[in-house]
Each structure stands twice: as structure tokens, then as C-alpha cells.
Amino acid sequence: MHEITLTVNGVLRQAEVPARRLLSDCLRHDLGLTGTHVGCEHGVCGCCTVLLDGEPVRSCLTFAVTVDGRDITTVEGLADADGTLSPVQRAFAECHGLQCGFCTPGFLCTVTALLRDNPAPTDEEVLEGISGNLCRCTGYQNIVKSVHRAAEIMAEEP
């Protein structure tokens, strides 16, 4: 067993994990943060995407011991401390960018990083940016609309 310390959603957290514990399992089972979903368990679907030091990673492919001392943001950490939804979360709700919601946490984390790096993406850049996340319910049109709406919201905010 290995003692690891992570900053998760701005809170210093500790866990004792076996060397082969996946970050997704550590977040869900050891830390009780069940917003990170596990879909394919092969890194293909993107449902388990979280932000590691601000960059999107597949938590189902990442060993928890390798992120000791690092900063993790899960879907639970995207909203403000007072519960105000992030622009990306608001846009997905407003534009119906979700249906069953299973893939949504991964999309929200991916899009948060995408818009941080490219605050006004074209349709092609949006499609490229979300290409690693799969949704089985939508035709992606509302997801693309949500990304553009989130960009608008972010541009309007001070």
C-alpha cells in the first residue's frame, strides 16, 4: 500500500492505495467522488476524463500513485464554491448538450480545458477538441452548440 496526497478540487486529500489502483477508482471508491464515470475502462470513451494539473487525462488509464502531490479537478470541482455552475456547465444545461448524462463529466472537463486554451474555437476546432469523448445518446450537435455557448458566456464575464 502507498500513501498518496492529492489536491482534489482545491482540497488536500490523502488515500492509501495499492500500486495498481487506477485514479478513477481512487477518486470514486477511496475519496467518494463519484462524478467521474468509468465507461470502457480502456481510455477510448473519455467518460473518466479529469483535469490533472489543468490538463485532461483519462483517469481509467492513470495509476493513482503516479499523481501523488498533483492537482486534480473532477466534475465536482468545476462549479464555484457557492455552487454556481461554471460557464461550461451552464451552457451544457442551457443548450441540452446532454441526455443520459453518463458521458457528461468527461465532456465538461475536456471542454473546460479546451476553452481555456482556445476561448473562441471554430466548429472544426470544437470537433477536434471533443473527438476523444464519445456520446451514445446525442448526435453531438447540441454538444457543439454547448461549447460555443460556453465560449460566449466566458467572453461576456468580467
Side-chain angles (χ1 to χ4, degrees):
M1 296 295 277
H2 301 271
E3 184 76 27
I4 60 171
T5 303
L6 310 167
T7 301
V8 183
N9 302 327
V11 177
L12 196 62
R13 304 286 300 263
Q14 292 185 327
E16 191 172 321
V17 297
R20 295 186 54 81
R21 170 90 79 228
L22 297 172
L23 178 57
S24 56
D25 292 334
C26 176
L27 293 168
R28 292 181 57 78
H29 303 294
D30 299 318
L31 301 179
L33 298 168
T34 58
T36 300
H37 292 166
V38 178
C40 69
E41 298 186 72
H42 296 287
V44 175
C45 73
C47 289
C48 69
T49 302
V50 298
L51 301 177
L52 174 62
D53 296 330
E55 297 302 318
V57 298
R58 301 290 200 258
S59 63
C60 78
L61 297 179
T62 306
F63 289 121
V65 295
T66 67
V67 298
D68 184 31
R70 312 267 303 269
D71 185 58
I72 310 288
T73 303
T74 68
V75 68
E76 292 96 338
L78 296 179
D80 291 339
D82 67 1
T84 302
L85 297 179
S86 74
V88 175
Q89 291 170 311
R90 292 194 325 254
F92 266 71
E94 181 182 318
C95 297
H96 308 287
L98 54 101
Q99 284 185 15
C100 82
F102 194 79
C103 65
T104 304
F107 269 105
L108 294 174
C109 289
T110 297
V111 171
T112 297
L114 169 67
L115 293 177
R116 179 202 61 222
D117 295 342
N118 184 354
T122 64
D123 278 345
E124 186 174 297
E125 291 168 330
V126 170
L127 291 173
E128 175 67 26
I130 64 171
S131 65
N133 294 73
L134 303 178
C135 176
R136 297 179 75 182
C137 298
T138 69
Y140 294 93
Q141 295 89 345
N142 287 346
I143 293 172
V144 172
K145 286 179 191 173
S146 298
V147 176
H148 287 301
R149 178 64 185 134
E152 290 171 2
I153 293 169
M154 293 168 73
E156 294 168 0
E157 291 183 345

